[in-house]
């Protein structure tokens, strides 16, 4: 880990990423490094699974206790505080921080690192993290102390780090922006160490040497897609004491596109926790319906879409999209820009949302057939806006003679409509072949082909996707065949 160039300018470091249900691998590693070189003063690992580790009031007293154990000079100051006020550990957060941490550290001039891991796991009903709010008041008084804080980017955490008193002294490290090849190397090493230990421990099975082999390690690393929590879930699934390790391993590597086994083994509870915790204060049925529409568009789009594109396709306000997604920064990459693409961190999240056996809460379950139909209908509504010669080109001009075609299409047609041109038929083919959806889709498709097919072909030609017209017609024919088959039953 590398600090800011000027250590006096940054006193708080936030590791922003997907936290796991167990100890954060990276925070553990960092704590080990600073402990080894003698700079770790104290640490606190938050966990909503344990009462004494999910309450904010326990953080500063625990840190103070550890600092007192490590530094005799600090210990003398804490003894004086406790003699003066025996209930100091039960006071308000701001009093705890001032009396138990700030004043003793300021007096002793101790230089150290303090780690708070998985801050999002603590119960906190404040709009901005209460811990970060009080820390911002005193951080300037501790120039020789560095706070290393990890956590999922939930709204109150993000708001806390944006507070004017704290933001100037904070440096943020985004895990999803770390070079993937570097992360893959670490994940591969982690899996190798964990599974080699399994091979040594499970002497009751005849495992190959080495186990796992290089090919299987590569497959497991690729499947993890840069997420340590997913890698740890893989390891837990394979090392089950009640199953044969190699049999469990082969279940994973022979089904590279499936995340069912890992999901049920440990990743699904994490996704459930993120969703339930993020939307616990919402009871409006309409709001959940909007949430499912937005999530459906994010996970079912055939290429990533921006919030502006999603808003146009679904015909909703862009602000509504952000209101729905603001609690999901730990499972979705949600950029600040309106025109930047929203992406999922790992394939297991869309898999989870679309499987009723895994996502058992109907408020979050995404039935893909109906949401593909929703996307197809949205595409048809956009396609109705196409007019003859949408890019205002001269008669008989050749595509190769049109300068800056991509910029021209973006300006005259737009990203959402270009997506609709390319992918309406793919969404249609994945839609229900019966019920009211099929009737509405047939009507919309008929109107589109009668009124807007020529400008659609022109856009596809300019976008160098003319072969997509043939594929779209084939998808339409296949879906209509399914509709006829459904009607005959």
């Amino acid at each position: 880990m590398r600090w800011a160039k000027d250590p006096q300018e940054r006193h708080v470091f936030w590791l922003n990423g997907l936290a796991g249900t167990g100890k954060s691998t990276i925070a553990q590693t960092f704590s080990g490094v600073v402990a080894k070189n003698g700079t770790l003063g104290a640490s606190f690992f938050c966990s909503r699974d344990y009462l004494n580790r999910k309450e904010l009031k326990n953080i500063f007293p625990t840190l103070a206790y550890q600092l007192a154990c490590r530094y005799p000079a600090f210990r003398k100051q804490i003894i004086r505080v406790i003699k003066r006020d025996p209930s100091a550990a039960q006071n308000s957060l701001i009093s705890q921080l001032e009396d138990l941490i700030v004043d003793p550290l300021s007096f002793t001039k101790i230089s150290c690192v303090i780690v708070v891991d998985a801050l999002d796991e603590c119960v906190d009903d404040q709009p901005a993290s209460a811990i970060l709010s009080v820390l911002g008041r005193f951080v300037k008084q501790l120039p020789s102390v560095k706070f290393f804080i990890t956590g999922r980017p939930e709204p109150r955490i993000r708001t806390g780090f944006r507070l004017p008193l704290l933001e100037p002294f904070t440096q943020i490290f985004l895990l999803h922006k770390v070079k993937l090849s570097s992360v893959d190397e670490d994940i591969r090493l982690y899996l190798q160490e964990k599974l080699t230990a399994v091979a040594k421990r499970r002497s009751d099975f005849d495992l190959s040497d080495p186990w796992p082999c290089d090919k299987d390690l590569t497959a497991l690393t690729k499947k993890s897609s840069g997420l340590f929590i997913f890698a740890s879930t893989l390891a837990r699934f394979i090392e089950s004491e009640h199953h044969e390790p190699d049999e469990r391993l082969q279940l994973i590597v022979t089904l590279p596109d499936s995340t069912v086994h890992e999901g049920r083994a440990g990743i699904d509870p994490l996704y459930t926790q993120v969703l339930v915790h993020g939307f616990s204060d919402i009871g409006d049925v309409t709001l959940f319906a909007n949430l499912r529409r937005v999530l459906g568009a994010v996970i079912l789009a055939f290429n990533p879409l921006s919030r502006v594109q999603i808003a146009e396709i679904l015909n909703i306000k862009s602000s509504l999209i952000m209101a729905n997604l603001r609690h999901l920064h730990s499972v979705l990459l949600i950029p600040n820009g309106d025109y930047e693409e929203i992406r999922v961190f790992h394939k297991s999240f869309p898999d989870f949302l679309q499987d009723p056996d895994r996502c058992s809460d109907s408020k979050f379950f995404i039935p893909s057939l109906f949401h593909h139909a929703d996307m197809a209908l949205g595409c048809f509504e956009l396609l109705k806006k196409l007019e003859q010669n949408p890019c205002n080109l001269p008669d008989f001009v050749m595509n190769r003679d049109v300068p800056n075609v991509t910029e021209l299409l973006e300006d005259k047609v737009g990203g959402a409509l270009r997506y609709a041109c390319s992918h309406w038929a793919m969404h249609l083919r994945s839609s229900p072949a019966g019920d009211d959806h099929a009737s509405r889709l047939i009507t919309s498709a008929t109107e589109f082909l009668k009124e807007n097919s020529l400008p659609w072909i022109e856009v596809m030609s300019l976008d160098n996707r003319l072969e997509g017209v043939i594929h779209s017609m084939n998808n339409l024919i296949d879906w209509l065949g399914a509709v006829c088959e459904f009607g005959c039953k």
Side-chain angles (χ1 to χ4, degrees), residues 25-240:
T25 305
I26 294 178
Q28 275 194 75
T29 303
F30 177 77
S31 298
V33 170
V34 293
K36 187 175 181 180
N37 65 25
T39 57
L40 178 63
S43 63
F44 188 94
F45 169 60
C46 310
S47 174
R48 71 184 72 220
D49 295 328
Y50 300 92
L51 181 62
N52 62 342
R53 279 158 51 180
K54 70 178 181 179
E55 295 187 349
L56 297 175
K57 66 180 183 180
N58 293 326
I59 294 180
F60 293 134
T62 302
L63 295 175
Y65 170 78
Q66 293 180 11
L67 289 166
C69 291
R70 178 164 176 74
Y71 303 106
F74 187 95
R75 183 162 59 247
K76 290 181 181 179
Q77 295 303 312
I78 283 294
I79 289 173
R80 291 177 182 175
V81 171
I82 295 175
K83 285 183 177 179
R84 184 178 70 246
D85 181 7
S87 63
Q90 281 74 50
N91 291 338
S92 66
L93 288 179
I94 192 168
S95 296
Q96 285 183 357
L97 178 59
E98 185 174 19
D99 297 339
L100 301 178
I101 305 293
V102 176
D103 288 347
L105 284 175
S106 299
F107 184 85
T108 58
K109 309 297 182 184
I110 291 171
S111 177
C112 67
V113 175
I114 294 176
V115 178
V116 179
D117 186 20
L119 181 59
D120 59 283
E121 292 278 307
C122 278
V123 176
D124 187 353
D125 58 1
Q126 299 300 311
S129 167
I131 289 291
L132 299 179
S133 297
V134 298
L135 186 60
R137 301 190 186 189
F138 295 100
V139 68
K140 289 179 65 175
Q141 299 180 33
L142 300 172
S144 59
V145 177
K146 306 295 185 186
F147 287 87
F148 183 78
I149 300 171
T150 77
R152 294 194 294 252
E154 295 182 347
R156 59 188 170 83
I157 303 293
R158 298 199 314 278
T159 302
F161 279 110
R162 291 170 182 159
L163 292 172
L165 289 175
L166 190 61
E167 187 175 26
F169 303 96
T170 301
Q171 184 164 334
I172 299 174
F173 299 88
L174 302 174
L175 281 181
H176 60 266
K177 291 190 176 180
V178 176
K179 191 176 180 181
L180 185 58
S181 59
S182 176
V183 178
D184 282 346
E185 289 176 12
D186 292 340
I187 287 179
R188 185 186 180 91
L189 180 60
Y190 165 78
L191 289 168
Q192 188 172 31
E193 291 291 325
K194 290 285 289 185
L195 299 183
T196 298
V198 171
K200 292 178 180 178
R201 187 172 68 247
R202 299 297 297 273
S203 57
D204 50 329
F205 290 100
D206 184 19
L207 299 173
S208 61
D209 187 21
W211 186 89
C213 67
D214 185 72
K215 180 181 178 182
D216 288 344
L217 267 178
T218 299
L220 294 177
T221 302
K222 182 178 180 181
K223 196 175 182 70
S224 297
S225 300
L227 286 189
F228 267 95
I229 180 61
F230 199 82
S232 67
T233 302
L234 287 172
R236 284 198 303 272
F237 179 79
I238 294 169
E239 68 182 358
S240 170

Side-chain angles (χ1 to χ4, degrees), residues 447-459:
E447 292 175 356
F448 155 64
L449 291 173
K450 280 184 177 180
E451 304 295 334
N452 311 98
S453 57
L454 288 179
W456 165 59
I457 294 173
E458 184 175 353
V459 170

Side-chain angles (χ1 to χ4, degrees), residues 179-409:
K179 191 176 180 181
L180 185 58
S181 59
S182 176
V183 178
D184 282 346
E185 289 176 12
D186 292 340
I187 287 179
R188 185 186 180 91
L189 180 60
Y190 165 78
L191 289 168
Q192 188 172 31
E193 291 291 325
K194 290 285 289 185
L195 299 183
T196 298
V198 171
K200 292 178 180 178
R201 187 172 68 247
R202 299 297 297 273
S203 57
D204 50 329
F205 290 100
D206 184 19
L207 299 173
S208 61
D209 187 21
W211 186 89
C213 67
D214 185 72
K215 180 181 178 182
D216 288 344
L217 267 178
T218 299
L220 294 177
T221 302
K222 182 178 180 181
K223 196 175 182 70
S224 297
S225 300
L227 286 189
F228 267 95
I229 180 61
F230 199 82
S232 67
T233 302
L234 287 172
R236 284 198 303 272
F237 179 79
I238 294 169
E239 68 182 358
S240 170
E241 297 293 334
H242 306 291
H243 300 85
E244 181 180 347
D246 195 56
E247 183 180 290
R248 301 279 274 189
L249 172 63
Q250 295 309 313
L251 280 174
I252 301 299
V253 299
T254 56
L255 294 173
D257 294 328
S258 172
T259 60
V260 171
H261 297 301
E262 308 91 290
R264 291 171 182 168
I267 199 76
D268 288 357
L270 173 61
Y271 290 145
T272 300
Q273 182 187 89
V274 169
L275 291 167
V276 172
H277 180 69
F279 299 95
S280 60
D281 58 341
I282 296 177
D284 192 322
V285 175
T286 302
L287 290 178
F288 277 111
N290 287 329
L291 170 65
R292 289 192 297 273
R293 288 193 74 204
V294 173
L295 275 177
V298 170
I299 68 173
L300 296 176
F302 291 102
N303 59 249
L305 299 170
S306 69
R307 71 186 67 167
V308 169
Q309 291 171 331
I310 293 173
E312 289 188 44
I313 293 171
L314 298 183
N315 192 27
I316 59 177
K317 294 180 179 178
S318 180
S319 58
L320 182 59
I321 294 175
M322 290 313 299
N324 279 294
L325 299 184
R326 66 188 300 265
H327 299 285
L328 300 176
H329 280 261
S330 57
V331 290
L332 298 175
L333 173 55
I334 307 172
N336 293 325
D338 287 341
Y339 296 91
E340 296 177 80
E341 296 168 345
I342 299 171
R343 298 174 180 269
V344 297
F345 282 127
H346 197 275
K347 180 180 179 296
S348 56
F349 184 56
D351 289 350
F352 165 78
L353 290 175
Q354 297 174 76
D355 187 338
D357 292 329
R358 296 171 65 182
C359 182
S360 56
D361 192 330
S362 60
K363 295 193 299 293
F364 306 112
F365 171 59
I366 307 293
S368 58
L369 285 175
F370 300 110
H371 286 276
H372 273 298
D374 190 28
M375 291 286 284
L377 289 168
C379 287
F380 283 132
E381 287 302 310
L382 283 178
L383 290 166
K384 290 179 181 179
K385 299 178 181 180
L386 279 176
E387 298 178 353
Q388 296 293 333
N389 194 10
C391 293
N392 297 320
L393 298 176
D395 292 341
F396 310 114
V397 68
M398 303 294 290
N399 287 355
R400 63 174 177 267
D401 298 326
V402 179
N404 304 317
V405 173
T406 302
E407 292 81 358
L408 181 66
L409 282 169

